[in-house]
């Protein structure tokens, strides 16, 4: 018995903003009276071209990042690719409480992606990859907390109910909580 979910960030609007920025920067460089020509680009080792293309590479990496989370009898395994090669596992012995809860990505964590709780609470991490505002909160014995955004909260809730009955794991709480 296992539950697996894969989520991606999708910031398509960033490409539009970068396109507008690229048009403005290129028009300043190329259409100015004393603009760049091929000889001056060679002298600068094509750095202006790299400066225009580097934001596209960064946005591409952000859009290709994905969170893969798997819950099974060993615990909760998750991997944040392409930034982590191996998956991390939180075993059931480490977990004190596990429950679904509502959250606000902007006010609690300051946005989407891999985030720490605002106000420098580094023991409270979140992997937020969608805007459904329901996540799986994992509380561990060493005062660490991890929140995973969930794309399928109803399926996960049913899975956790069945999983708790089958494996008798007391850390799982099955009601959705407010903050």
């Amino acid at each position: 018995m296992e539950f697996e979910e894969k989520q991606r960030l999708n910031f398509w609007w960033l490409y539009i903003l970068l396109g507008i920025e690229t048009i403005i920067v290129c028009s300043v460089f190329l259409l100015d009276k004393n603009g760049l020509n091929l000889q001056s680009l060679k002298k600068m080792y094509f750095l202006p071209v790299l400066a225009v293309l580097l934001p596209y590479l960064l946005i591409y990496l952000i859009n290709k990042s994905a969170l893969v989370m798997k819950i099974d009898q060993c615990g909760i395994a998750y991997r944040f690719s392409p930034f982590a090669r191996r998956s991390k596992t939180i075993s059931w012995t480490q977990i004190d409480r596990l429950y679904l809860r509502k959250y606000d990505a902007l006010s609690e964590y300051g946005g989407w992606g891999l985030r720490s709780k605002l106000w420098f609470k580094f023991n409270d991490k979140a992997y937020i990859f969608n805007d459904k505002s329901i996540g799986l909160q994992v509380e561990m014995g060493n005062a660490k907390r991890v929140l995973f955004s969930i794309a399928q909260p109803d399926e996960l809730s049913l899975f956790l109910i069945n999983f708790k009955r089958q494996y008798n794991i007391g850390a799982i709480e099955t009601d959705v909580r407010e903050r």
Side-chain angles (χ1 to χ4, degrees), residues 38-144:
L38 187 59
Q39 294 301 324
S40 61
L41 272 176
K42 285 181 182 178
K43 287 179 185 176
M44 288 189 273
Y45 299 105
F46 293 97
L47 284 178
V49 175
L50 180 65
V52 169
L53 294 179
L54 186 64
Y56 283 98
L57 177 65
L58 291 174
I59 298 303
Y60 177 77
L61 280 175
I62 289 171
N63 277 342
K64 289 301 175 188
S65 65
L67 173 69
V68 178
M69 182 183 64
K70 185 170 92 170
I71 303 173
D72 58 9
Q73 63 271 13
C74 297
I76 300 172
Y78 61 96
R79 187 172 75 114
F80 179 45
S81 63
F83 304 107
R85 291 178 183 242
R86 287 185 266 154
S87 63
K88 295 180 183 179
T89 302
I90 304 171
S91 68
W92 291 112
T93 57
Q94 294 175 306
I95 298 173
D96 283 347
R97 293 173 60 200
L98 177 81
Y99 54 92
L100 292 173
R101 77 170 182 97
K102 293 183 180 182
Y103 65 90
D104 186 15
L106 283 176
S107 67
E108 285 185 64
Y109 296 98
W112 291 266
L114 172 59
R115 311 296 294 189
S116 289
K117 190 135 183 161
L118 292 178
W119 310 113
F120 304 105
K121 296 181 180 177
F122 296 113
N123 285 340
D124 199 349
K125 290 189 178 180
Y127 294 87
I128 302 174
F129 283 80
N130 63 32
D131 55 357
K132 300 248 190 231
S133 74
I134 294 181
L136 180 67
Q137 181 73 56
V138 180
E139 294 181 5
M140 293 174 263
N142 51 4
K144 287 189 177 183

